[in-house]
Amino acid sequence: MELLRLADQTDDDLDRLYAVPSSPWLRVNMISTVDGAATGPDGRSGGINNVADKRVFDTLRRLCDCVVVGAGTAREEGYQDASKPLVLVSRRAEVPPGLRDAPSGSVLMATCAAAERLDETRELLGADHVLVQGGHRVDLAGLRHALTERGFASMLAEGGPHLLRDLLAEGVVDELDATVVPRLLAGEHPRITDGPPVDVALRLTLLLEDHGTLLARWLT
Ligand SMILES: NC(=O)c1ccc[n+]([C@@H]2O[C@H](COP(=O)([O-])OP(=O)(O)OC[C@H]3O[C@@H](n4cnc5c(N)ncnc54)[C@H](OP(=O)(O)O)[C@@H]3O)[C@@H](O)[C@H]2O)c1
């Protein structure tokens, strides 16, 4: 395990420290406060992130082939199209408003055959950009395989808590990058996982520190 100061690392160092060890690889990047809040007072993760977290966030975006995100998070956080292909996971196949006009191919939808908005979303994104994985629920292991087949071997998931929990339950997470910011919020906030119980053991491989912010790289 490496214990390092973030301020001592160049961007090239971060690329090396976060290089994926094998392919395909799926990692999830999440943030919380010391008392476990995954959202700030504004109800968004943007309310708790900081400069240190942004450096690792940018590193992980730089290193990935695609970003996978739950439709709930894309809606709440107002996701726009990004530098990397964005894969939305939605049981309903609903594309959030901010992504409806994204350039063709920059947004993909991962959904299931029973999705209410399937036809509409095929029309909007193009049938080739809609990945139907499963009948009544999204088969996340199947999604990982389908994304790999498309050449997206390095996959970065950005939550949210329900999607992280489901990815863990299906055993498809290789790595969790978890930032803890030095704040306490109390009140009602989600944790970084939400949903029925899972029990996943983690192994710490890297811990970066920056003014009390801890940025950990855990392997499953
Ligand atoms: N702290 C962090 O690192 C972090 C990261 C991300 C988000 N957040 C926060 O978390 C909150 C949202 O939480 P959330 O748990 O609702 O987020 P989420 O998991 O992104 O959203 C849940 C929605 O995403 C879709 N979804 C998630 N898992 C799915 C699965 N296995 N199969 C099919 N669809 C799936 C469904 O969309 P449909 O309803 O369209 O079917 C579901 O209603 C926001 O406040 C956001 O700011 C925090």
Side-chain angles (χ1 to χ4, degrees):
M1 199 277 287
E2 286 187 277
L3 178 57
L4 301 167
R5 280 164 43 97
L6 178 63
D8 295 339
Q9 313 307 316
T10 65
D11 286 352
D12 285 346
D13 292 334
L14 290 179
D15 286 358
R16 180 182 53 77
L17 287 167
Y18 281 95
V20 298
S22 65
S23 176
W25 193 257
L26 189 152
R27 58 182 159 199
V28 187
N29 186 28
M30 302 293 285
I31 184 170
S32 64
T33 62
V34 170
D35 59 346
T39 55
D42 60 353
R44 295 174 175 187
S45 60
I48 54 173
N49 66 18
N50 61 20
V51 174
D53 180 67
K54 183 72 167 55
R55 275 200 76 197
V56 170
F57 177 95
D58 288 344
T59 301
L60 297 173
R61 279 262 178 125
R62 196 162 55 238
L63 295 176
C64 75
D65 297 322
C66 70
V67 173
V68 179
V69 68
T73 294
R75 287 191 287 267
E76 286 291 321
E77 305 266 348
Y79 267 58
Q80 312 266 322
D81 66 287
S83 53
K84 297 290 169 76
L86 190 61
V87 182
L88 295 164
V89 182
S90 169
R91 233 167 258 111
R92 289 183 280 164
E94 185 178 336
V95 180
L99 293 167
R100 297 182 76 84
D101 297 323
S104 176
S106 64
V107 175
L108 288 82
M109 171 62 70
T111 189
C112 50
E116 301 151 35
R117 304 283 184 93
L118 186 55
D119 292 342
E120 174 192 319
T121 295
R122 281 186 168 136
E123 182 82 14
L124 182 72
L125 300 180
D128 188 44
H129 302 130
V130 178
L131 310 174
V132 176
Q133 298 291 327
H136 291 274
R137 51 176 279 281
V138 182
D139 170 0
L140 296 171
L143 174 61
R144 179 189 157 114
H145 182 71
L147 292 175
T148 305
E149 293 278 290
R150 282 186 176 236
F152 301 147
S154 176
M155 295 158 264
L156 170 65
E158 295 183 345
H162 281 97
L163 181 60
L164 171 55
R165 181 266 161 209
D166 292 346
L167 289 166
L168 291 168
E170 292 203 30
V172 295
V173 177
D174 297 298
E175 170 180 337
L176 172 66
D177 300 305
T179 299
V180 176
V181 294
R183 289 171 68 179
L184 297 166
L185 289 180
E188 295 293 321
H189 297 274
R191 291 182 291 147
I192 63 170
T193 53
D194 207 339
V198 294
D199 188 350
V200 178
L202 298 171
R203 183 165 56 86
L204 186 62
T205 61
L206 171 68
L207 186 60
L208 297 169
E209 190 276 339
D210 185 273
H211 297 93
T213 296
L214 303 177
L215 303 114
R217 186 176 186 199
W218 302 93
L219 302 190
T220 59

